[in-house]
Amino acid sequence: MRIGLAATVISMLALADARDIAAQAKASPSRALAAQVDAYVAPLVDLQVFSGTILTARGESVLLERSYGLADAEHGIPVRAGDVFRIASISKSFTKGVIGRLLDKHVVRLDDSLSRWWPTIPSASRITVRMIVEHRSGIPNVNSLPYDEEALEPNTLAHLVDSIMRKPLDFEPGTRTRYSNGGYAVLARIIELATDRPYASVLASELLEPLHLTHTRHSADGMIVERLARGYAPSPESFGHLEVAPFQEMNTKAGGGSLVSSARDLLIWARAIGRSPLLTSSSWAALFPGSDSTFVFTGRCPGYNVVLHHDRRRDATTIVLVNNYAAGMVAEVAEGVAALARGDAPKALPVGKPARADTSAQRMLAGTYSLPAGALPVPPGTTVELRVSGDHLVVYLGAVPVDVLVPQGPHTYLARALWSMIEAPAQGADSLNVRALYRDQSFHALRVRQ
């Protein structure tokens, strides 16, 4: 009787929260704030790296919800409020929420070792659920299997986890911290084995339905998702054009990156964390520590960049959902919009509108360069070639074009897909300075003499 009453109370509170947020969304946003946000993201729109939805709220009151660009470029359909996006690694926060529900039901314990489910694997006895949640397990960062479109049977989460559990650990469990998609695939499989139900079903019944998150779900392969913004990336060869993002198999993304959601659903979820009676206070504290701090969840997968920014002290939330893989600045955009919503000046973005190209400078820069480790998100020892193509410089890795460089000044170019700034010295062209914007670090690249 007590469990049934608690579930009813949780459902009523969540439904009231959802209705309040929906009602607030109908209200006209502040014109001044809308104009400020439009001006703030305008350079990114001009650079063709930003299309999607921005939502910012104080408590349950939506202050602003703005959409930009196209949800379906093939049919010219614009992004609209309420559209759904893949949320990539933000999915992990929902997996932790499900684990919390199972903790409170005494189905799983944080100090359970994996030998409970994989007793024949020696390393399983040294890994606990808590270590996986905290990325301290040593489980390799794996979240996919080779895809065979002609295979008689599709890949499954079980197949992926069986493969992961046969791999050597990256380090002794508990001794280090390293981000692991593979660990969260294992968590999803634990949820299935502990409940004898599919991950998607447990997620729906334990979190999504009680919180009335009607636009959030596990996106299975072949599923038609209504109002899904399609994922894109800038053409690597031609400025002004988009390309459809590569296919991504969802069957092996459960736990760490398989969910789709909307901005309003994510607002409800952000405000539920740490305050909803859906989980006990001890479970919230164990899984989402730092009750008085700001938490930021980010996600990136082919075609999408997303961020959820929540200031617990102010009960202020900003969500940015972008269906463009090159949008490497979404965390900065969320912080900037949050500042504008507070009435503060945002930190300037590190990029501006496209500048006029200097064709003579481009010809001087054309050539092959050797990059130090970490200079770009490419394997160590990789050389890159800059080729002049029409009015632009194009970055090639081997014979494959990967990015059109967009001029930011006489000697400065933005690599959008790599989210890095390439700066040529004012004199000479034997070297390049590469500033990795995604890690705020600079490197020196030397020309390779042929």
Side-chain angles (χ1 to χ4, degrees):
M1 179 64 71
R2 290 179 180 176
I3 294 175
L5 178 59
T8 300
V9 171
I10 291 169
S11 182
M12 290 175 65
L13 289 172
L15 181 57
D17 208 13
R19 285 173 175 168
D20 288 340
I21 290 171
Q24 289 291 338
K26 295 179 180 179
S28 298
S30 163
R31 290 185 178 180
L33 179 59
Q36 289 175 321
V37 172
D38 287 351
Y40 184 65
V41 301
L44 304 176
V45 175
D46 290 339
L47 289 167
Q48 299 169 347
V49 295
F50 194 89
S51 61
T53 292
I54 296 174
L55 182 148
T56 190
R58 177 65 62 87
E60 60 192 25
S61 300
V62 175
L63 305 178
L64 173 85
E65 188 170 10
R66 301 286 279 179
S67 296
Y68 305 85
L70 297 175
D72 187 329
E74 290 88 337
H75 298 94
I77 300 173
V79 178
R80 298 165 294 171
D83 280 352
V84 170
F85 295 73
R86 295 200 188 283
I87 61 171
S89 287
I90 295 180
S91 303
K92 292 178 176 65
S93 66
F94 288 87
T95 297
K96 288 202 293 186
V98 175
I99 289 292
R101 290 283 283 170
L102 300 186
L103 292 178
D104 291 340
K105 293 183 176 183
H106 307 291
V107 175
V108 171
R109 295 172 300 176
L110 283 175
D111 293 323
D112 282 340
S113 74
L114 296 195
S115 58
R116 175 178 173 183
W117 297 281
W118 293 277
T120 62
I121 298 175
S123 63
S125 63
R126 310 199 305 275
I127 301 173
T128 66
V129 172
R130 188 189 305 273
M131 291 177 185
I132 301 175
V133 168
E134 298 174 352
H135 297 280
R136 297 188 299 110
S137 68
I139 293 173
N141 185 21
V142 178
N143 70 339
S144 64
L145 289 169
Y147 178 76
D148 182 358
E149 63 183 8
E150 296 182 358
L152 296 177
E153 295 183 359
N155 289 329
T156 65
L157 174 64
H159 292 157
L160 174 64
V161 171
D162 287 345
S163 174
I164 291 171
M165 296 302 293
R166 290 195 298 269
K167 294 180 181 295
L169 298 176
D170 285 348
F171 53 85
E172 181 62 25
T175 63
R176 297 171 60 185
T177 300
R178 181 180 296 173
Y179 191 83
S180 176
N181 284 300
Y184 272 72
V186 172
L187 278 184
R189 185 62 179 147
I190 288 172
I191 289 169
E192 293 188 333
L193 295 173
T195 62
D196 197 28
R197 294 166 56 199
Y199 169 83
S201 174
V202 183
L203 171 72
S205 64
E206 297 296 335
L207 283 189
L208 307 184
E209 293 169 6
L211 290 173
H212 299 277
L213 303 180
T214 57
H215 294 90
T216 306
R217 68 191 67 183
H218 164 72
S219 178
D221 290 317
M223 176 186 289
I224 294 176
V225 179
E226 294 182 5
R227 301 272 309 266
L228 176 67
R230 298 195 65 184
Y232 297 97
S235 167
E237 295 182 274
S238 177
F239 185 78
H241 296 85
L242 294 173
E243 289 192 351
V244 176
F247 169 76
Q248 188 176 38
E249 187 179 29
M250 288 293 104
N251 285 349
T252 55
K253 296 294 186 290
S258 65
L259 270 61
V260 298
S261 189
S262 67
R264 296 178 202 178
D265 270 17
L266 290 176
L267 172 58
I268 295 171
W269 174 233
R271 299 194 68 247
I273 293 173
R275 68 188 285 267
S276 168
L278 188 63
L279 269 64
T280 62
S281 58
S282 60
S283 290
W284 281 126
L287 295 166
F288 299 88
S291 59
D292 294 328
S293 65
T294 295
F295 62 77
V296 180
F297 301 143
T298 62
R300 189 183 192 194
C301 66
Y304 301 89
N305 267 280
V306 294
V307 63
L308 185 161
H309 182 287
H310 182 73
D311 183 333
R312 283 174 158 161
R313 183 171 61 84
R314 293 186 175 92
D315 194 9
T317 310
T318 300
I319 295 154
V320 182
L321 304 176
V322 178
N323 61 327
N324 188 315
Y325 186 70
M329 80 314 289
V330 288
E332 288 87 346
V333 170
E335 291 175 2
V337 172
L340 289 170
R342 294 193 304 269
D344 298 333
K347 181 180 178 181
L349 293 172
V351 297
K353 295 183 177 183
R356 183 181 297 275
D358 183 334
T359 55
S360 62
Q362 290 178 342
R363 287 193 297 270
M364 289 180 61
L365 287 174
T368 302
Y369 295 84
S370 175
L371 296 172
L376 291 176
V378 296
T382 301
T383 58
V384 302
E385 183 181 1
L386 303 185
R387 300 182 192 175
V388 176
S389 177
D391 295 331
H392 293 277
L393 277 171
V394 178
V395 180
Y396 279 77
L397 297 181
V400 180
V402 295
D403 223 341
V404 175
L405 297 185
V406 182
Q408 292 282 282
H411 305 282
T412 306
Y413 300 84
L414 174 66
R416 295 172 298 171
L418 302 172
W419 201 240
S420 298
M421 201 74 78
I422 294 176
E423 302 167 336
Q427 300 295 327
D430 288 335
S431 63
L432 295 172
N433 295 319
V434 179
R435 184 157 56 97
L437 299 176
Y438 59 93
R439 61 194 301 181
D440 195 23
Q441 198 169 358
S442 295
F443 302 85
H444 199 59
L446 296 177
R447 183 188 291 272
V448 176
R449 293 299 181 183
Q450 301 297 325

